[in-house]
Amino acid sequence: MNRLLILGGGTSGTIAANRLRRRLDPGSWAITVVDETDTHLYQPGQLFIPFGIYRPRDIVKPRRRYIPPGVDLVLGEIDHVDADAGKVVLRDASELPYDYLIVATGTAPRPDQTPGMTDGAWRTSVHEFYTLEGASALADKLADWEGGRMVVQIVDMPIKCPVAPLEFTFLADAFFTERGMRDRVEMVFVTPLEGAFTKPIASKHLGAMLEERKVALESDFVIERVDPDARTLVSFDEREVPFDLLVTIPLNMGAEYLKRSGLGDELNYVPVDRQTLLSKAHDNVFAIGDASDIPTSKAGSVAHFSTELFEDNFVNHVQGRPMTRFFDGHANCFIESGNGKGLLIDFNYETEPLPGKYPLPGLGPFTLLRESEANHWGKMMFRWVYWNLLLPGKEMPLEPLMSMAGKEVGEA
Amino acid sequence: MPLASIDGRSVHVDDEGFLTEYDEWDEDLAKVLASQIGVDMTDDHWKAIRFLRSDFKEHGETATIRRVDVVGGISTKDLFRLFPKKPAKKMAYIAGLPKPRGCV
């Protein structure tokens, strides 16, 4: 009996469990998923919690419901992976031996990595929205905030869902406008990047959208520490940004057990081949979703597209055949822009986000890099798609590899 | 990629002047590149630049500030002192490597 162990039952781990269970003979393959909790969180929904659009109960479901029959779910905390011995050891000292390992434990915000961030003002005037607890605390804060200087700040890249800080800013602008208090809020967007976003054309479009909304941009800001008493961000080049309310996107890191196991890089991400997701160090270890070091967005769409190709690669690899489905870094992200509109971006390792139509060239229904109501509805409907099509690993009418069809080149 | 003439030598560069060919670089060229952006090379500067070169050779990516700190053992504070304002960009420029990718 071959033993496949999947660490993490989030987006990519669950898709992989569903797809591989259908592909691998149950008589010769046992599949086990390990996760700490039985709660599966629809992570894109966390963005809407601070504004009262979603409540926590709208975005959680039992993890077990999405793990297919024939796959074991073990709830426990991972202590370490012994890759040479081919086993995973849990905190309670129980051991799970494997023949093949898939690391799918994602990435998480680490406010503890920035001096001063979790001191004193944490969850009072210093907030984040990348955890259910944090997003809920921020909702409480915004519900009766009187206004002042709101700073949205990114500590370092890469982060999970790199467009979310901009979306939060756009939604906050709409939220304050609707409540008739926009003139009492000064908004600042602080980033370690040179502009609003990572890629030049998208950065220009999104930067203009910040300007239209009268949001000041503080770029190239590499944070050294938060001064919770003076309510100030201090950069390594000694710039200071004061705030009344800080919404930070803390440093993102892969799981700590990967560091303890010697499997992670400086941010605990597993170095893999960027086309096949096979570990560079171990021939029976893969890393999928946010847990790997591939240079594209840490996003659900990437987890989805890459895991679809990975399924074929895995089956070929375990049967001793060459892997033939090469991932191109395809990412596809809705960007909420407030007032019932949104944008969509579609890109990969080589091609930056461009304007155009998606998925059907010339028709859409979605527009790339421009605001439309259809994009907003696409984003809102995606929650249903996530639970009902994406996690179960059903076929969707979207190509895993990026296409240039429908994209406008040189018209940005 | 355009060709540029630096210190009498012809090298391949991108639109922003970053060298694109790993093997067209040597430490003499680095001194010229450094002086172009107002950096006077000391032992501490060389330690950072040599780390970037060897790390790139091994991994095929230009190290981020965080990687130079955690893996290379030179603190971010020191990097800002050695290469003021934009250490990641300046180090890559002097080391003849691509600008570190702003991760997407």
Side-chain angles (χ1 to χ4, degrees), chain A residues 155-158 162 193-194 198-199 220 222 224 236-238 251 265-267 274 295-298 347, chain B residues 16 59-61 64-67 69-71 76-78 80 84-87 89 99 101-104:
Chain A
V155 169
D156 200 359
M157 301 301 285
L193 299 169
E194 285 180 287
T198 53
K199 300 288 180 177
D220 289 309
V222 182
E224 182 178 7
F236 277 103
D237 57 359
E238 284 152 21
L251 181 69
D265 66 9
E266 70 277 10
L267 287 169
R274 66 167 73 174
T296 185
S297 287
K298 296 201 176 295
F347 54 105
Chain B
E16 293 178 86
H59 299 282
E61 296 273 348
T64 58
I65 300 177
R66 187 168 302 276
R67 188 169 172 84
D69 185 329
V70 177
V71 183
T76 304
K77 194 78 190 163
D78 283 343
F80 270 88
K85 300 286 176 201
K86 298 194 178 194
K89 220 172 157 175
K99 202 164 59 159
R101 60 174 81 236
C103 280
V104 279

Side-chain angles (χ1 to χ4, degrees), chain A residues 143-160:
Chain A
D144 55 10
W145 194 48
E146 306 263 306
R149 189 173 156 93
M150 174 193 258
V151 173
V152 180
Q153 177 252 356
I154 300 168
V155 169
D156 200 359
M157 301 301 285
I159 55 170
K160 177 154 49 187

Side-chain angles (χ1 to χ4, degrees), chain A residues 125 216 402:
Chain A
S125 55
M402 200 203 74

Side-chain angles (χ1 to χ4, degrees), chain A residues 143-200:
Chain A
D144 55 10
W145 194 48
E146 306 263 306
R149 189 173 156 93
M150 174 193 258
V151 173
V152 180
Q153 177 252 356
I154 300 168
V155 169
D156 200 359
M157 301 301 285
I159 55 170
K160 177 154 49 187
C161 192
V163 295
L166 285 165
E167 296 183 278
F168 178 87
T169 306
F170 298 150
L171 289 174
D173 168 73
F175 176 84
F176 296 135
T177 303
E178 196 173 307
R179 291 168 78 103
M181 59 182 287
R182 182 63 184 88
D183 57 344
R184 282 183 278 132
V185 180
E186 183 187 354
M187 294 178 72
V188 186
F189 190 83
V190 179
T191 170
L193 299 169
E194 285 180 287
F197 195 59
T198 53
K199 300 288 180 177

